[in-house]
């Protein structure tokens, strides 16, 4: 019997998007699928939904956001680079985003090969 063995490759880059909310709209799932396709086989791309804090009944907005912040930080994968998106932040062009991703990938590969993992 002939068996073909292929080397098992680690993903070159793992991207995890953390979003506060559950039951995301269909367009979110479509966007995740589209980006996963665009990134190709060398990038693992996933969306994790973070349970929102219930408001009211003695929980104000600041308390709710603090609880959500805690959940977000707990969901960040070990050794990850943390990139925070904010509507008031700078929106990079596609070229700038590609340059950032390439830089992060190179840094991750360098860290992995030297066993110097960065943690959040």
């Amino acid at each position: 019997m002939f068996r073909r063995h292929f080397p098992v490759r680690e993903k070159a880059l793992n991207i995890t998007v953390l979003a506060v909310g559950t039951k995301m709209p269909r367009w979110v799932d479509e966007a995740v699928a589209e980006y996963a396709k665009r990134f190709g086989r060398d990038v693992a791309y996933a969306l994790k939904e973070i349970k929102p804090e219930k408001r009211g009944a003695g929980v104000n907005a600041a308390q709710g956001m603090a609880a959500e912040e805690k959940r977000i930080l707990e969901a960040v994968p070990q050794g990850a680079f943390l990139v925070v998106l904010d509507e008031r932040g700078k929106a990079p062009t596609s070229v700038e985003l590609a340059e950032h991703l390439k830089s992060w990938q190179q840094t991750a590969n360098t860290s992995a090969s030297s066993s110097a993992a960065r943690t959040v």
Side-chain angles (χ1 to χ4, degrees), residues 18 72-73 76 81-90 104 120:
L18 304 174
I72 290 168
L73 292 174
V76 174
F81 290 99
L82 184 59
V83 178
V84 179
L85 304 179
D86 186 303
E87 67 272 6
R88 297 165 299 202
K90 181 181 181 290
W104 294 329
V120 175

Side-chain angles (χ1 to χ4, degrees), residues 1-99:
M1 175 187 256
F2 179 72
R3 289 189 182 185
R4 192 172 231 183
H5 296 279
F6 296 98
V8 176
R9 291 180 12 171
E10 290 287 324
K11 296 288 186 181
L13 188 63
N14 295 308
I15 297 174
T16 304
V17 176
L18 304 174
V20 176
T22 56
K23 300 178 185 171
M24 296 291 171
R26 189 176 78 216
W27 67 265
V28 172
D29 292 329
E30 291 170 355
V32 168
E34 178 64 25
Y35 275 99
K37 183 173 70 175
R38 288 182 186 192
F39 284 132
R41 295 183 310 190
D42 289 339
V43 176
Y45 185 78
L47 171 69
K48 278 189 183 178
E49 295 177 347
I50 306 298
K51 180 183 171 190
E53 186 68 17
K54 292 181 181 178
R55 303 294 199 267
V59 177
N60 63 32
Q63 292 168 323
M65 287 188 287
E68 292 167 354
E69 176 186 15
K70 183 175 186 266
R71 289 187 193 120
I72 290 168
L73 292 174
E74 288 171 351
V76 174
Q78 182 69 26
F81 290 99
L82 184 59
V83 178
V84 179
L85 304 179
D86 186 303
E87 67 272 6
R88 297 165 299 202
K90 181 181 181 290
T93 66
S94 294
V95 172
E96 290 170 331
L97 180 58
E99 289 170 356

